[in-house]
Amino acid sequence: MGVVASLEKEKPDTGISLLTSLVQSDMERVNRLILDMAAANAEMIPDVARHLIDSGGKRLRPMLTLASAAMFGYRGDGHVKLAASVEFMHTATLLHDDVVDESEMRRGKAAARMVWGNQASVLVGDYLLGQAFRKMVEVGSLEALAVLSNAASVIAEGEVMQLVAAKNLSTSEDEYIRVIEAKTAALFAAACEVGPIVAGADDKTRKAMADYGLYLGLAFQLVDDALDYGGSSASLGKRTGDDFREGKITLPVVIAHRGGDAQQRAFWARTIEQGTIVEGDLETATELMHRHGAIPATIERARHYGDKALMALEDMPHGDHRRSLLDVVEFCISRVH
Amino acid sequence: MGVVASLEKEKPDTGISLLTSLVQSDMERVNRLILDMAAANAEMIPDVARHLIDSGGKRLRPMLTLASAAMFGYRGDGHVKLAASVEFMHTATLLHDDVVDESEMRRGKAAARMVWGNQASVLVGDYLLGQAFRKMVEVGSLEALAVLSNAASVIAEGEVMQLVAAKNLSTSEDEYIRVIEAKTAALFAAACEVGPIVAGADDKTRKAMADYGLYLGLAFQLVDDALDYGGSSASLGKRTGDDFREGKITLPVVIAHRGGDAQQRAFWARTIEQGTIVEGDLETATELMHRHGAIPATIERARHYGDKALMALEDMPHGDHRRSLLDVVEFCISRVH
């Protein structure tokens, strides 16, 4: 019954409805746990945390953890704790990201830092990360802890790499892929690897699921990059052009800059490197991207990684869970249409 | 030989020389490990980390971890990894603290955020915290992980509590003690508890060592608070009056405000609550504190906690390690003279 209701409710998102229905009851436990974990002696903490938590993120990462454990027949509550920890790691990153990027919006509403300030965003992010570690320690799997603590380091390293590359137009496509592999794909990989770990799957299976998450994460981020220059604010949950205004190097910029003539490169230098942006620049940037096919090229690259994600699942146990994970790849890429 | 050389070198700090000589060879391993852990693909990370790491902090917390393990006959390298993790947790907190407090100096030199910016300080702090967790997972003790991940949450919670209380002059003495118990003493407690944990000591011993660290941390922070209104910048590693300029409520302020008349309370409201500070205000604040005996009262409270720290060690194995930990209490309190 729950499944049918969920399928009906989720009709517009057919791509992900099998996943949401399969993990629905576990996700309810994750959501309750998330509220518990946001509790604290300082009232400001749950206020800030809920601002983000209630803002309708898809919670894709914790769903991946749940499905990745269930696919290997896991029974217990470890996957629920790990899923909540993964979501908290993600939320902590968002809080710090918005401070670093000076973002004004997140998921279609004011960024937490615009309401409570940068100071609160930094410290509440630290608290959520601490709570994530506490909860994953409770699960008692040193292997899962190794995967997730490694991801925490790699994500922060990727953020620093992005900060350093932020204004640097000589960033190559490969360098850019390394940045998003660290800052985005590493958590997707960890989210998918801890499932088979708690379920006691073998090393080859763990590796395949980590690969699936990694490639899915790369595809996801590249589609996000493309959407920033072509999507609508409603579907993206942030304003179109945020990356541009923040001087962020993304793959569309790398491609458009690489193909540009001297005048176009001067445009990118002024806007991205020097951060001098005037009325009409976003439209010019978007126009230049279309001229150089930067958006289709970015989506093609996303599809390439999406295909690798699908291939990683080839030897995984066939059935609903595997099918739901195949769907996620298509869902992520089709966001762009 | 190493011990003799160290004792001679450390003569000016007789209070802590027994500890430094006992842990000297282990601390060399900790220092090497710290440099390893600061390595990263983004060059900025070791640069920022070393700026703080090389700035001559006392590394009291990792020394406490080493001595707390050695006291119970621990043989292995787990305590070295835990000690480095504790120091990284501390360093990450300092990086974020300086952003939150908008501090300009740390340990007698420019704060990292003044050199690399707030963004880098936030992200490198995240990286160091991730590296700390990775390293402590390697030790393989779920009990030590539970203690340290709990400390990470509590520290961040304490920082948020301090942020909320920052401008609030109605903060009571007890409320203030709860803040510093979380933001400072919790890490001292964890640093001292993981030693007996890896050494396989019993629960009563763990509890005694955690108590020792907790009370030592409280005494340490209260002395720090007193020094901000009476010490010299050289011995404190930051400018005298930083707490005042940042509008921080500390015990000396709580005491002076509580005892003040309407005119004096108006002074505290203007300076601490509203943050309007003019030439001569720090001198007035210091004078008001002396008039109300706020500094001696703060030191007396520190000594009270110091005595509790000494008592916690009563049933611990007698010998050099225990004596070195007794010395640390006196050392922390005597900084104020």
Side-chain angles (χ1 to χ4, degrees):
Chain A
M1 196 199 79
V3 173
V4 173
S6 165
L7 278 169
E8 280 171 4
K9 210 168 54 192
E10 294 289 344
K11 240 177 205 155
D13 287 342
T14 43
I16 208 178
S17 60
L18 179 58
L19 176 66
T20 53
S21 65
L22 285 173
V23 302
Q24 189 184 353
S25 70
D26 279 344
M27 261 318 276
E28 282 164 14
R29 295 164 69 196
V30 170
N31 290 339
R32 279 196 298 274
L33 186 55
I34 279 176
L35 289 180
D36 279 356
M37 287 165 67
N41 288 319
E43 236 175 78
M44 189 197 266
I45 292 177
D47 289 349
V48 176
R50 280 198 198 122
H51 178 79
L52 258 172
I53 290 166
D54 293 345
S55 65
K58 287 175 299 299
R59 305 209 178 168
L60 194 51
R61 296 163 190 78
M63 287 198 289
L64 290 171
T65 299
L66 295 175
S68 300
M71 183 156 62
F72 303 98
Y74 179 70
R75 296 268 175 277
D77 64 357
H79 66 327
V80 170
K81 290 177 177 176
L82 291 170
S85 299
V86 163
E87 184 67 5
F88 261 39
M89 284 175 66
H90 176 55
T91 309
T93 306
L94 297 184
L95 281 168
H96 287 187
D97 263 9
D98 286 345
V99 170
V100 169
D101 295 341
E102 299 175 355
S103 302
E104 291 172 11
M105 281 180 77
R106 165 71 66 186
R107 292 178 179 165
K109 56 184 198 178
R113 71 179 202 93
M114 302 302 287
V115 183
W116 288 274
N118 282 337
Q119 301 169 315
S121 291
V122 170
L123 298 178
V124 175
D126 290 348
Y127 181 74
L128 298 185
L129 197 59
Q131 290 291 82
F133 277 107
R134 277 182 72 184
K135 197 49 73 181
M136 63 182 91
V137 169
E138 278 181 25
V139 178
S141 161
L142 284 166
E143 284 175 303
L145 282 164
V147 166
L148 287 166
S149 61
N150 184 56
S153 271
V154 170
I155 293 164
E157 191 175 25
E159 300 279 353
V160 175
M161 284 158 68
Q162 177 169 273
L163 180 66
V164 174
K167 309 283 170 201
N168 183 4
L169 283 167
S170 68
T171 303
S172 72
E173 189 164 337
D174 285 350
E175 283 167 347
Y176 178 68
I177 297 294
R178 278 203 296 278
V179 169
I180 63 172
E181 186 174 323
K183 79 163 187 140
T184 306
L187 187 57
F188 275 87
C192 295
E193 190 177 357
V194 294
I197 286 176
V198 288
D202 62 22
D203 285 355
K204 200 175 147 230
T205 302
R206 280 178 53 169
K207 174 75 169 66
M209 291 302 294
D211 281 350
Y212 164 76
L214 187 80
Y215 293 127
L216 174 67
L218 287 171
F220 179 90
Q221 183 62 58
L222 290 171
V223 166
D224 222 54
D225 294 348
L227 280 170
D228 198 68
Y229 288 97
S232 73
S233 294
S235 77
L236 196 63
K238 61 177 186 179
R239 292 182 303 170
T240 304
D242 272 355
D243 291 346
F244 179 71
R245 275 183 290 268
E246 290 164 9
K248 246 184 215 170
I249 303 284
T250 59
L251 190 56
V253 175
V254 170
I255 293 170
H257 176 263
R258 193 173 57 197
D261 58 20
Q263 196 193 343
Q264 291 171 20
R265 289 189 173 207
F267 168 82
W268 294 114
R270 171 174 63 79
T271 52
I272 299 280
E273 280 186 354
Q274 290 147 40
T276 312
I277 293 178
V278 297
E279 190 76 31
D281 277 346
L282 177 60
E283 291 69 21
T284 305
T286 307
E287 202 276 311
L288 288 177
M289 280 177 184
H290 284 287
R291 204 181 305 172
H292 294 285
I295 302 300
T298 299
I299 294 167
E300 194 190 304
R301 189 80 188 243
R303 196 163 283 286
H304 162 76
Y305 288 119
D307 288 344
K308 294 186 84 148
L310 298 176
M311 270 163 49
L313 292 180
E314 216 159 50
D315 296 332
M316 297 300 102
H318 284 227
D320 275 354
H321 284 102
R322 179 173 169 277
R323 202 159 60 245
S324 75
L325 295 181
L326 294 170
D327 289 350
V328 172
V329 177
E330 193 51 46
F331 169 76
C332 283
I333 293 172
S334 65
R335 288 192 305 152
V336 88
H337 298 309
Chain B
M1 198 198 78
V3 173
V4 173
S6 164
L7 279 169
E8 280 171 4
K9 211 167 53 191
E10 293 288 346
K11 241 176 203 156
D13 286 343
T14 40
I16 208 178
S17 61
L18 179 59
L19 176 65
T20 53
S21 65
L22 285 173
V23 302
Q24 188 184 352
S25 69
D26 279 344
M27 261 317 276
E28 283 164 15
R29 295 164 68 196
V30 170
N31 291 337
R32 277 196 299 273
L33 186 55
I34 279 176
L35 289 180
D36 279 357
M37 288 164 67
N41 288 319
E43 236 175 78
M44 189 197 265
I45 292 176
D47 288 349
V48 175
R50 279 198 199 123
H51 178 79
L52 257 172
I53 290 166
D54 293 346
S55 65
K58 285 176 299 299
R59 304 208 179 168
L60 194 52
R61 295 162 190 78
M63 287 199 288
L64 290 172
T65 299
L66 295 175
S68 300
M71 183 156 62
F72 303 98
Y74 180 69
R75 295 269 175 276
D77 63 357
H79 65 328
V80 170
K81 291 177 177 177
L82 292 170
S85 300
V86 163
E87 185 67 4
F88 261 39
M89 285 175 67
H90 175 55
T91 309
T93 306
L94 296 184
L95 282 168
H96 287 187
D97 263 9
D98 285 345
V99 170
V100 169
D101 296 341
E102 299 176 356
S103 303
E104 292 172 11
M105 281 180 76
R106 167 69 67 185
R107 291 177 180 164
K109 57 184 195 178
R113 73 179 201 93
M114 302 303 286
V115 183
W116 288 274
N118 282 339
Q119 301 168 315
S121 291
V122 170
L123 298 177
V124 175
D126 290 349
Y127 181 74
L128 298 185
L129 198 59
Q131 290 290 80
F133 277 107
R134 278 182 72 184
K135 196 49 72 181
M136 64 182 91
V137 169
E138 277 182 25
V139 178
S141 161
L142 285 166
E143 285 175 302
L145 282 165
V147 166
L148 287 168
S149 61
N150 184 56
S153 272
V154 170
I155 293 165
E157 191 175 26
E159 300 279 351
V160 176
M161 285 158 68
Q162 178 169 273
L163 180 66
V164 174
K167 309 283 170 200
N168 183 3
L169 282 168
S170 68
T171 303
S172 71
E173 189 164 336
D174 284 351
E175 282 166 347
Y176 178 68
I177 295 295
R178 278 203 296 278
V179 169
I180 64 171
E181 187 174 322
K183 78 163 188 139
T184 306
L187 187 56
F188 276 86
C192 295
E193 190 177 358
V194 293
I197 287 175
V198 287
D202 62 22
D203 285 357
K204 200 176 147 228
T205 302
R206 281 178 51 169
K207 173 77 169 68
M209 291 302 293
D211 281 349
Y212 163 76
L214 186 80
Y215 293 128
L216 174 66
L218 287 171
F220 180 90
Q221 183 61 57
L222 290 170
V223 166
D224 222 52
D225 293 347
L227 280 170
D228 198 68
Y229 288 97
S232 72
S233 295
S235 76
L236 196 62
K238 61 177 186 180
R239 293 182 305 171
T240 304
D242 272 355
D243 291 345
F244 180 70
R245 274 183 292 269
E246 289 163 10
K248 246 184 216 169
I249 303 283
T250 60
L251 191 56
V253 174
V254 170
I255 294 170
H257 177 263
R258 193 173 56 198
D261 58 22
Q263 195 193 343
Q264 291 171 20
R265 289 188 173 208
F267 168 82
W268 293 113
R270 171 174 64 79
T271 53
I272 298 281
E273 280 187 353
Q274 290 147 41
T276 311
I277 293 178
V278 297
E279 190 75 32
D281 278 346
L282 177 59
E283 290 70 22
T284 304
T286 307
E287 201 276 310
L288 288 177
M289 281 178 182
H290 283 285
R291 204 183 305 173
H292 294 285
I295 303 301
T298 300
I299 295 167
E300 193 188 305
R301 190 81 188 243
R303 195 164 282 286
H304 163 75
Y305 288 119
D307 288 344
K308 294 185 86 150
L310 297 176
M311 269 164 49
L313 293 180
E314 215 159 50
D315 294 333
M316 297 299 103
H318 285 228
D320 275 355
H321 285 102
R322 180 172 168 277
R323 202 159 60 245
S324 77
L325 296 181
L326 294 170
D327 289 350
V328 172
V329 178
E330 193 50 46
F331 169 76
C332 283
I333 293 173
S334 65
R335 287 191 306 153
V336 88
H337 297 309

